[in-house]
Amino acid sequence: MIEFHHVTKKYDDEVALDDCSLKIAQGEMLVLLGASGTGKSTFLKMISFEDRPTSGEVVVGAYRSGTAKDAQVRQLRRSLGIVHQEFKLLQDRSVFENVALPLRVAGLNRKDIHARVEEALERVEIPRMGAKMPGQLSGGQRQRVAVARALVNKPTVLLADEPTGNLDHEMSVRIVRIFRELCASGTAVVLATYDLNLIQPEDRVVRLEGGRMKEGR
Amino acid sequence: MRLSFYIAEAWRGLKRAPGVALASAFSLFAAWVVLAGTADALYNGWRFVNAANARKELIVLMKDRSGAEEDSTLGARLKALDEVGSITYVSRDSSWAQLTRELGAEPSMLEAVGANPLPASWRVSLKPELRDAVHLKRLAETVRQYPEVQDALTGGEWVDKLEAWVRKLTWVGFGFGGAVALGVVVLVMLTIRLSIMVRSDVLRVLRLLGAGEWFVRMPFVFEGLILACATSILALVAVEGASRLLAGRWSDWAGMPLGLDLAFLALALVLGAVGSLAGSAAVGRRESA
């Protein structure tokens, strides 16, 4: 599903990822551990082709970072769900419209959009909040909206960058449980976090330190 | 489905930077007023020329001593010509009577002339669709060749001069209108570029969601179309209002006909579309660094 082949990413002289190689299978959950600035976000950007490796190659499904054209990158991203650390919610539209955006990009009809947005909002436990604007929500609620937007298009790969940073422990556990349910249905999940309490024994853990990757906790 | 989304996004874009939208709308409105005002003035210029041309007629003077038979033969020949709409016979006596009426205050002049020197004549009007200087002159040249005809007078040279002036002004108007239209395109283009900068957060999210180039661009295209359409309608209303004020003072003045209004709106939409397509050309293409 996802393969890193000797991936190195440099920003000027700073090395964000250093010779990283790994494979993530369909339906697998990979927990990416590491302190701030260790390359977790860069790792996720490599998978969404938001950034390309300085050397090495990332393969996601049928798409290769070395050769993918813009049209292919768009196709890839429509199959991803991304939860950003800073939410990236659009402040000038309602919660419903924020969550519906991936479905509008995919060209779904009004009825399907409505049903799937409602389902996603219920899943992250903020039903009946569709009409609210992001500015009217707490940090935790906004984070759940961001999670709902990532889930709504039933992604084949879910990338979550500190998705529980603004949630209490109980809600964090519930959100991660949703990610595990997605895994069970075949979605590959990459969860970047610093919260060791969210890890379960069966999870595959990769630790990033100074851009270098180490398997295990 | 997507149409309503594009329109809603375009409206959001306008609301996002109301200062930019208002400044742009005001500038566009001014440009449209100039364009529509020029079009209205030229329309009225041509209307006046056409009305003057429609009143022009050919006066065919018979040779001296022509008899009633020759007069009626010529009348039949004139009537048979393709360009001719109607003809009216003016006898020597009628011409003399008219001259007497016109010079009523100076009867001594007529007494000095003595016998009636005026020839009989035919007043010839062209068919309505052929009433212009070119057809009138062509007909005069044809008629002058007839043996019974002394001369054929077109008259109304001032109308020809006016028509030449209006034609020149029309070309100037087209040149000026072209420059203003180019300005409109640039204005819409710059407005869209500003709008793109203001909505960079939306574009970033759309790119990350895999939105296609046209999905990203269309709201900006609609934004340009909404601006162009709304401001051109307002400008037409303003020019029509000004036209009515002028018509109140000068009865020959008229507002633009519906067809010209619709053509103006179509032009506004085309210019708005060109400007917004040019303004949004760079957006939505590159997907990654």
Side-chain angles (χ1 to χ4, degrees):
Chain A
M1 181 93 242
I2 301 170
E3 296 173 20
F4 275 56
H5 299 290
H6 301 289
V7 172
T8 295
K9 178 66 185 177
K10 289 181 184 172
Y11 295 105
D12 296 326
D13 288 337
E14 196 177 331
V15 180
L17 291 177
D18 188 7
D19 195 28
C20 296
S21 294
L22 89 167
K23 289 183 180 178
I24 305 167
Q26 197 173 350
E28 186 177 14
M29 178 145 162
L30 179 86
V31 179
L32 210 53
L33 284 177
S36 178
T38 51
K40 299 196 297 293
S41 297
T42 303
F43 185 94
L44 298 179
K45 283 180 180 174
M46 293 289 134
I47 298 173
S48 64
F49 289 9
E50 201 177 336
D51 253 336
R52 308 274 183 126
T54 309
S55 64
E57 189 175 46
V58 178
V59 181
V60 184
Y63 307 103
R64 293 178 169 273
S65 63
T67 55
K69 305 281 182 233
D70 281 349
Q72 292 170 309
V73 173
R74 289 187 201 113
Q75 283 177 346
L76 164 68
R77 288 184 187 163
R78 280 177 218 159
S79 68
L80 303 179
I82 307 176
V83 185
H84 296 275
Q85 196 172 1
E86 65 277 22
F87 315 143
K88 284 196 167 54
L89 297 181
L90 301 174
Q91 301 299 316
D92 62 348
R93 66 203 69 203
S94 67
V95 166
F96 182 95
E97 281 302 323
N98 267 284
V99 178
L101 214 47
L103 304 177
R104 295 202 191 281
V105 169
L108 265 66
N109 65 42
R110 191 189 300 261
K111 193 179 159 193
D112 289 345
I113 288 174
H114 198 269
R116 283 171 69 167
V117 170
E118 291 298 328
E119 182 190 336
L121 290 177
E122 273 185 32
R123 201 162 184 188
V124 297
E125 301 179 30
I126 47 170
R128 298 182 298 279
M129 288 244 179
K132 296 216 175 208
M133 301 299 280
Q136 297 174 292
L137 305 179
S138 67
Q141 286 170 325
R142 270 182 267 171
Q143 194 139 32
R144 279 184 273 168
V145 175
V147 172
R149 187 177 63 188
L151 303 177
V152 76
N153 62 340
K154 303 188 191 307
T156 53
V157 176
L158 182 85
L159 307 175
D161 194 358
E162 308 281 8
T164 58
N166 286 282
L167 303 176
D168 57 37
H169 180 68
E170 193 185 342
M171 182 48 71
S172 299
V173 169
R174 277 191 253 169
I175 291 293
V176 174
R177 191 183 302 145
I178 294 170
F179 292 168
R180 292 186 198 287
E181 287 168 14
L182 279 175
C183 278
S185 61
T187 300
V189 176
V190 182
L191 169 63
T193 184
Y194 58 84
D195 189 352
L196 296 170
N197 296 322
L198 299 175
I199 304 171
Q200 293 203 347
E202 67 271 23
D203 290 337
R204 182 180 170 199
V205 177
V206 166
R207 188 177 287 274
L208 274 170
E209 284 172 11
R212 292 200 70 88
M213 190 181 277
K214 288 179 186 168
E215 289 259 1
R217 328 175 169 211
Chain B
M1 177 60 207
R2 279 199 165 167
L3 185 69
S4 60
F5 173 75
Y6 293 147
I7 293 171
E9 283 293 303
W11 185 242
R12 274 197 194 101
L14 290 169
K15 285 199 299 185
R16 188 88 177 253
V20 171
L22 272 178
S24 171
F26 186 78
S27 308
L28 281 173
F29 171 78
W32 296 134
V33 165
V34 169
L35 265 183
T38 305
D40 197 13
L42 288 174
Y43 167 71
N44 274 283
W46 279 110
R47 220 172 133 261
F48 188 73
V49 166
N50 290 335
N53 272 326
R55 284 196 290 269
K56 274 168 56 174
E57 57 185 11
L58 189 68
I59 299 171
V60 182
L61 302 175
M62 306 292 294
K63 280 188 172 161
D64 287 347
R65 314 276 174 232
S66 63
E69 190 182 334
E70 286 141 312
D71 291 355
S72 59
T73 305
L74 179 64
R77 287 179 72 183
L78 291 172
K79 186 75 181 157
L81 291 170
D82 287 341
E83 303 96 315
V84 174
S86 65
I87 57 172
T88 308
Y89 180 68
V90 182
S91 68
R92 297 178 71 229
D93 292 342
S94 300
S95 297
W96 183 252
Q98 188 181 344
L99 187 64
T100 304
R101 276 198 304 279
E102 286 171 4
L103 297 176
E106 299 287 342
S108 55
M109 286 180 70
L110 293 172
E111 283 165 16
V113 173
N116 177 9
L118 299 176
S121 62
W122 286 97
R123 288 177 179 271
V124 180
S125 292
L126 295 176
K127 286 178 178 167
E129 65 272 21
L130 302 174
R131 280 178 192 163
D132 57 44
V134 175
H135 283 94
L136 199 67
K137 279 181 183 161
R138 198 179 295 158
L139 181 65
E141 282 164 19
T142 305
V143 170
R144 280 192 196 109
Q145 309 301 318
Y146 296 166
E148 318 82 314
V149 172
Q150 181 186 331
D151 201 359
L153 308 174
T154 54
E157 278 76 17
W158 66 273
V159 180
D160 298 344
K161 284 181 185 168
L162 178 69
E163 185 171 345
W165 266 104
V166 172
R167 182 164 285 116
K168 278 181 194 163
L169 282 176
T170 302
W171 284 113
V172 171
F174 272 120
F176 179 65
V180 174
L182 189 66
V184 163
V185 169
V186 171
L187 190 60
V188 173
M189 190 179 83
L190 293 176
T191 304
I192 295 304
R193 289 204 174 156
L194 280 174
S195 187
I196 286 168
M197 287 170 69
V198 169
R199 287 155 75 189
S200 57
D201 58 335
V202 180
L203 296 181
R204 183 161 164 70
V205 169
L206 285 175
R207 284 199 191 105
L208 287 174
L209 294 173
E213 182 187 341
W214 284 106
F215 187 89
V216 176
R217 284 180 74 183
M218 283 310 280
F220 294 106
V221 173
F222 274 89
E223 193 173 324
L225 287 176
I226 289 171
L227 267 177
C229 189
T231 52
S232 62
I233 288 173
L234 286 176
L236 271 183
V237 170
V239 169
E240 180 63 28
S243 237
R244 288 190 182 189
L245 279 178
L246 275 176
R249 289 168 181 266
W250 187 25
S251 60
D252 283 337
W253 193 271
M256 288 197 291
L258 183 63
L260 203 53
D261 285 344
L262 292 176
F264 182 78
L265 284 178
L267 175 73
L269 285 175
V270 168
L271 294 178
V274 171
S276 49
L277 282 170
S280 64
V283 78
R285 283 190 188 156
R286 285 183 58 197
E287 299 302 337
S288 56

